[in-house]
Amino acid sequence: MTDDLLKLWAEIDEAGSQEAYIRGELERLGYLVQRRDVDDMSKRQLADYKKALKKEAAERRRLKKEVWQAYKTANIVHLGEGVYWNDAAAIDKWDHPKAEERAAENELPPLDKPAQLAEALHMDVAELRWLAWNREAAKKIHYRRFTIPKRNGGEREIWAPLPKIKAAQSWILRNIAERLPVHGAAHGFLAGRSIVTNAAVHTNAGIVVRVDLKDFFPTVTFPRVKGIFRKAGYREQTATLLALLCTESPRQVIEHENETWYIALGPRCLPQGAPTSPALTNTLCFRLDQRLTGLTAKMGWRYTRYADDLTFSLPTNHQGEPKLGYLLNKIPHIVEEEGFAVNEKKTWVARKGGRQAVTGLTINGKAGPRVSRELKRNMRAAIHNLKQGKSHEKAQKITQLIGNAAFIYMVEPILGAKLLAELRPFLESSK
């Protein structure tokens, strides 16, 4: 049925307009009535003329309904509450003046029409519209909710995309988001970079400052995401669809009259759980990273960012005033000007002599990033207890220990390899 309607729309498009197609069909089928002056008609002629006009009108209504179905199959039409959409592919004044050139520079796939995006995502336009549709209240959404514990004892809410929209987001990630410019100070969710490369920048530091961005993903709302895609080289229509596919409103789950409803609590934003969210924030933070890098370089400090975790450090061999107060005063201003906010409760300063940690790794001295002594001690105790036939006091499973050892291997390969070798016999015996 969909293929037939798409074929019909191709015929309508070839005719030049919907009205031209309808008129052509009326003529082909013999329903089109030549308009005449009724004053000179006899009663019989007038009756026949009116009858013919009624048949034409009935056939026109049928064709209009058919054309509308074809139009909805091939066009977006509407995207829900509060979303501006126009099926006409006219150039919008907010589009990048050289959009196609910019997209080519970023090596992005050409997506001039919704149908092209739908084809790239291996779906039809109707399914694309369904995935992108915006609702304030919905009985079904494209995400499932769960929580994970925070280090401070609270819970972090995660909205994980369901398979259909996750597949679309994964395509956007591979073909668009990962090709967009990212500043060298960014270390999160990038090939060849990790918490280890992030921490390594700050070794041998006299002072380490950590700053956390408040509500990082919720701050990146639909208009900002749409702006990312426009700046990348896509025009109004495509940027709107891409932004809708990558955002969702934070929602409250309520039960009403034995039905589950998902009620929007705020504007659409990047969900913490979507594969596209980290990459989009990395490119969005390009100017933030650029400005903070410029600020710290002038002062002799170093700067990196891992997602919403900003780290600044002053080398021990720095000559002159540290200007710590000036830095702590300047950071929030730059952050706010770039559309984010500092979580003042999580700003942390560590001087030489105390434990200095960056993205969970110890960096004191010149030895480079390493895991905490506590984790190493716990691992050795757990392996010792296993060898003695005792259960570990924290009842850790072998798989958990293997995971910890793999983490240590990523940071300290020699120690990690030793621990993995000691754990391997216990993993094999537990199968």
Side-chain angles (χ1 to χ4, degrees), residues 133-153:
W133 194 271
N134 182 61
R135 292 181 180 87
E136 295 299 313
K139 291 183 181 180
K140 291 183 179 180
I141 58 173
H142 303 298
Y143 295 80
R144 65 180 182 89
R145 175 189 175 275
F146 62 92
T147 59
I148 58 174
K150 290 183 177 180
R151 283 181 294 182
N152 61 8

mmCIF file of all heavy atoms in Angstrom, residues 133-153:
data_model
loop_
_atom_site.group_PDB
_atom_site.id
_atom_site.type_symbol
_atom_site.label_atom_id
_atom_site.label_comp_id
_atom_site.label_asym_id
_atom_site.label_seq_id
_atom_site.Cartn_x
_atom_site.Cartn_y
_atom_site.Cartn_z
ATOM 1 N N TRP A 133 7.903 12.629 16.289
ATOM 2 C CA TRP A 133 6.707 13.342 16.748
ATOM 3 C C TRP A 133 6.863 13.836 18.188
ATOM 4 O O TRP A 133 7.345 13.123 19.057
ATOM 5 C CB TRP A 133 5.498 12.416 16.644
ATOM 6 C CG TRP A 133 4.190 13.126 16.773
ATOM 7 C CD1 TRP A 133 3.501 13.379 17.926
ATOM 8 C CD2 TRP A 133 3.404 13.676 15.715
ATOM 9 N NE1 TRP A 133 2.336 14.044 17.650
ATOM 10 C CE2 TRP A 133 2.244 14.235 16.305
ATOM 11 C CE3 TRP A 133 3.563 13.734 14.334
ATOM 12 C CZ2 TRP A 133 1.252 14.862 15.546
ATOM 13 C CZ3 TRP A 133 2.581 14.350 13.575
ATOM 14 C CH2 TRP A 133 1.445 14.905 14.181
ATOM 15 N N ASN A 134 6.430 15.067 18.444
ATOM 16 C CA ASN A 134 6.533 15.674 19.769
ATOM 17 C C ASN A 134 5.166 15.682 20.450
ATOM 18 O O ASN A 134 4.188 16.173 19.889
ATOM 19 C CB ASN A 134 7.065 17.105 19.652
ATOM 20 C CG ASN A 134 7.225 17.749 21.016
ATOM 21 O OD1 ASN A 134 7.983 17.263 21.848
ATOM 22 N ND2 ASN A 134 6.496 18.830 21.258
ATOM 23 N N ARG A 135 5.109 15.147 21.673
ATOM 24 C CA ARG A 135 3.876 15.143 22.461
ATOM 25 C C ARG A 135 4.171 15.598 23.879
ATOM 26 O O ARG A 135 5.170 15.212 24.470
ATOM 27 C CB ARG A 135 3.269 13.741 22.527
ATOM 28 C CG ARG A 135 2.730 13.201 21.210
ATOM 29 C CD ARG A 135 2.137 11.805 21.435
ATOM 30 N NE ARG A 135 1.597 11.231 20.204
ATOM 31 C CZ ARG A 135 2.299 10.539 19.328
ATOM 32 N NH1 ARG A 135 3.600 10.354 19.559
ATOM 33 N NH2 ARG A 135 1.738 10.043 18.244
ATOM 34 N N GLU A 136 3.268 16.424 24.431
ATOM 35 C CA GLU A 136 3.399 16.828 25.829
ATOM 36 C C GLU A 136 2.968 15.689 26.758
ATOM 37 O O GLU A 136 3.535 15.501 27.823
ATOM 38 C CB GLU A 136 2.537 18.076 26.096
ATOM 39 C CG GLU A 136 2.990 19.317 25.336
ATOM 40 C CD GLU A 136 4.392 19.739 25.709
ATOM 41 O OE1 GLU A 136 4.707 19.799 26.914
ATOM 42 O OE2 GLU A 136 5.190 20.008 24.792
ATOM 43 N N ALA A 137 1.927 14.968 26.350
ATOM 44 C CA ALA A 137 1.452 13.818 27.120
ATOM 45 C C ALA A 137 1.308 12.637 26.161
ATOM 46 O O ALA A 137 0.744 12.772 25.080
ATOM 47 C CB ALA A 137 0.121 14.126 27.786
ATOM 48 N N ALA A 138 1.839 11.508 26.552
ATOM 49 C CA ALA A 138 1.819 10.350 25.651
ATOM 50 C C ALA A 138 1.617 9.069 26.443
ATOM 51 O O ALA A 138 2.054 8.956 27.592
ATOM 52 C CB ALA A 138 3.128 10.282 24.869
ATOM 53 N N LYS A 139 0.948 8.114 25.810
ATOM 54 C CA LYS A 139 0.779 6.800 26.427
ATOM 55 C C LYS A 139 1.978 5.900 26.130
ATOM 56 O O LYS A 139 2.250 4.960 26.874
ATOM 57 C CB LYS A 139 -0.501 6.134 25.914
ATOM 58 C CG LYS A 139 -1.776 6.806 26.381
ATOM 59 C CD LYS A 139 -3.000 6.037 25.887
ATOM 60 C CE LYS A 139 -4.283 6.721 26.330
ATOM 61 N NZ LYS A 139 -5.489 5.984 25.843
ATOM 62 N N LYS A 140 2.654 6.191 25.032
ATOM 63 C CA LYS A 140 3.846 5.436 24.669
ATOM 64 C C LYS A 140 4.929 6.402 24.218
ATOM 65 O O LYS A 140 4.638 7.385 23.535
ATOM 66 C CB LYS A 140 3.543 4.436 23.552
ATOM 67 C CG LYS A 140 2.648 3.287 23.961
ATOM 68 C CD LYS A 140 2.463 2.301 22.811
ATOM 69 C CE LYS A 140 1.588 1.123 23.229
ATOM 70 N NZ LYS A 140 1.406 0.158 22.116
ATOM 71 N N ILE A 141 6.157 6.131 24.598
ATOM 72 C CA ILE A 141 7.294 6.921 24.124
ATOM 73 C C ILE A 141 8.371 5.959 23.644
ATOM 74 O O ILE A 141 8.259 4.738 23.823
ATOM 75 C CB ILE A 141 7.841 7.861 25.220
ATOM 76 C CG1 ILE A 141 8.275 7.070 26.455
ATOM 77 C CG2 ILE A 141 6.816 8.920 25.583
ATOM 78 C CD1 ILE A 141 8.973 7.923 27.501
ATOM 79 N N HIS A 142 9.418 6.513 23.070
ATOM 80 C CA HIS A 142 10.466 5.683 22.466
ATOM 81 C C HIS A 142 11.631 5.406 23.418
ATOM 82 O O HIS A 142 12.727 5.056 22.970
ATOM 83 C CB HIS A 142 10.989 6.363 21.198
ATOM 84 C CG HIS A 142 9.922 6.636 20.184
ATOM 85 N ND1 HIS A 142 9.198 5.641 19.583
ATOM 86 C CD2 HIS A 142 9.438 7.810 19.691
ATOM 87 C CE1 HIS A 142 8.326 6.177 18.738
ATOM 88 N NE2 HIS A 142 8.463 7.487 18.785
ATOM 89 N N TYR A 143 11.391 5.551 24.717
ATOM 90 C CA TYR A 143 12.452 5.354 25.710
ATOM 91 C C TYR A 143 11.928 4.539 26.889
ATOM 92 O O TYR A 143 10.729 4.534 27.167
ATOM 93 C CB TYR A 143 12.968 6.701 26.242
ATOM 94 C CG TYR A 143 13.647 7.547 25.194
ATOM 95 C CD1 TYR A 143 12.892 8.300 24.286
ATOM 96 C CD2 TYR A 143 15.036 7.592 25.092
ATOM 97 C CE1 TYR A 143 13.510 9.066 23.310
ATOM 98 C CE2 TYR A 143 15.656 8.365 24.125
ATOM 99 C CZ TYR A 143 14.885 9.095 23.237
ATOM 100 O OH TYR A 143 15.502 9.847 22.264
ATOM 101 N N ARG A 144 12.848 3.870 27.567
ATOM 102 C CA ARG A 144 12.486 3.214 28.832
ATOM 103 C C ARG A 144 13.312 3.852 29.938
ATOM 104 O O ARG A 144 14.489 4.186 29.757
ATOM 105 C CB ARG A 144 12.711 1.703 28.769
ATOM 106 C CG ARG A 144 14.151 1.269 28.619
ATOM 107 C CD ARG A 144 14.260 -0.246 28.556
ATOM 108 N NE ARG A 144 15.658 -0.673 28.448
ATOM 109 C CZ ARG A 144 16.439 -0.901 29.489
ATOM 110 N NH1 ARG A 144 15.959 -0.776 30.712
ATOM 111 N NH2 ARG A 144 17.698 -1.287 29.321
ATOM 112 N N ARG A 145 12.706 4.012 31.077
ATOM 113 C CA ARG A 145 13.334 4.724 32.189
ATOM 114 C C ARG A 145 13.888 3.750 33.220
ATOM 115 O O ARG A 145 13.277 2.745 33.538
ATOM 116 C CB ARG A 145 12.300 5.632 32.858
ATOM 117 C CG ARG A 145 12.784 6.349 34.105
ATOM 118 C CD ARG A 145 11.628 7.049 34.802
ATOM 119 N NE ARG A 145 12.036 7.633 36.061
ATOM 120 C CZ ARG A 145 12.091 6.977 37.217
ATOM 121 N NH1 ARG A 145 11.782 5.683 37.257
ATOM 122 N NH2 ARG A 145 12.458 7.578 38.322
ATOM 123 N N PHE A 146 15.094 4.062 33.725
ATOM 124 C CA PHE A 146 15.625 3.369 34.893
ATOM 125 C C PHE A 146 16.591 4.307 35.601
ATOM 126 O O PHE A 146 16.938 5.379 35.089
ATOM 127 C CB PHE A 146 16.313 2.047 34.506
ATOM 128 C CG PHE A 146 17.503 2.198 33.601
ATOM 129 C CD1 PHE A 146 18.787 2.325 34.112
ATOM 130 C CD2 PHE A 146 17.344 2.204 32.213
ATOM 131 C CE1 PHE A 146 19.887 2.459 33.279
ATOM 132 C CE2 PHE A 146 18.432 2.322 31.370
ATOM 133 C CZ PHE A 146 19.704 2.457 31.908
ATOM 134 N N THR A 147 17.019 3.952 36.768
ATOM 135 C CA THR A 147 17.924 4.799 37.543
ATOM 136 C C THR A 147 19.188 4.024 37.902
ATOM 137 O O THR A 147 19.156 2.790 38.011
ATOM 138 C CB THR A 147 17.263 5.311 38.835
ATOM 139 O OG1 THR A 147 16.861 4.183 39.638
ATOM 140 C CG2 THR A 147 16.033 6.163 38.512
ATOM 141 N N ILE A 148 20.277 4.767 38.080
ATOM 142 C CA ILE A 148 21.525 4.182 38.563
ATOM 143 C C ILE A 148 21.988 5.009 39.764
ATOM 144 O O ILE A 148 21.700 6.215 39.838
ATOM 145 C CB ILE A 148 22.615 4.151 37.468
ATOM 146 C CG1 ILE A 148 22.894 5.568 36.940
ATOM 147 C CG2 ILE A 148 22.209 3.230 36.328
ATOM 148 C CD1 ILE A 148 24.046 5.626 35.969
ATOM 149 N N PRO A 149 22.663 4.402 40.713
ATOM 150 C CA PRO A 149 23.078 5.152 41.910
ATOM 151 C C PRO A 149 24.173 6.163 41.607
ATOM 152 O O PRO A 149 25.062 5.913 40.786
ATOM 153 C CB PRO A 149 23.585 4.057 42.857
ATOM 154 C CG PRO A 149 23.940 2.912 41.962
ATOM 155 C CD PRO A 149 23.022 2.984 40.787
ATOM 156 N N LYS A 150 24.094 7.314 42.259
ATOM 157 C CA LYS A 150 25.151 8.325 42.169
ATOM 158 C C LYS A 150 26.164 8.096 43.279
ATOM 159 O O LYS A 150 25.877 7.430 44.279
ATOM 160 C CB LYS A 150 24.554 9.732 42.326
ATOM 161 C CG LYS A 150 23.705 10.204 41.167
ATOM 162 C CD LYS A 150 23.258 11.643 41.433
ATOM 163 C CE LYS A 150 22.459 12.217 40.288
ATOM 164 N NZ LYS A 150 22.034 13.622 40.559
ATOM 165 N N ARG A 151 27.326 8.672 43.094
ATOM 166 C CA ARG A 151 28.363 8.527 44.119
ATOM 167 C C ARG A 151 27.962 9.198 45.432
ATOM 168 O O ARG A 151 28.377 8.794 46.504
ATOM 169 C CB ARG A 151 29.685 9.130 43.628
ATOM 170 C CG ARG A 151 30.417 8.253 42.638
ATOM 171 C CD ARG A 151 31.722 8.866 42.192
ATOM 172 N NE ARG A 151 31.526 10.085 41.434
ATOM 173 C CZ ARG A 151 32.509 10.805 40.897
ATOM 174 N NH1 ARG A 151 33.761 10.411 41.063
ATOM 175 N NH2 ARG A 151 32.259 11.889 40.206
ATOM 176 N N ASN A 152 27.122 10.249 45.342
ATOM 177 C CA ASN A 152 26.721 10.964 46.550
ATOM 178 C C ASN A 152 25.532 10.319 47.258
ATOM 179 O O ASN A 152 24.993 10.862 48.214
ATOM 180 C CB ASN A 152 26.380 12.428 46.213
ATOM 181 C CG ASN A 152 25.216 12.546 45.235
ATOM 182 O OD1 ASN A 152 24.562 11.554 44.906
ATOM 183 N ND2 ASN A 152 24.956 13.757 44.763
ATOM 184 N N GLY A 153 25.086 9.164 46.739
ATOM 185 C CA GLY A 153 23.992 8.467 47.389
ATOM 186 C C GLY A 153 22.645 8.641 46.723
ATOM 187 O O GLY A 153 21.704 7.908 47.013
#
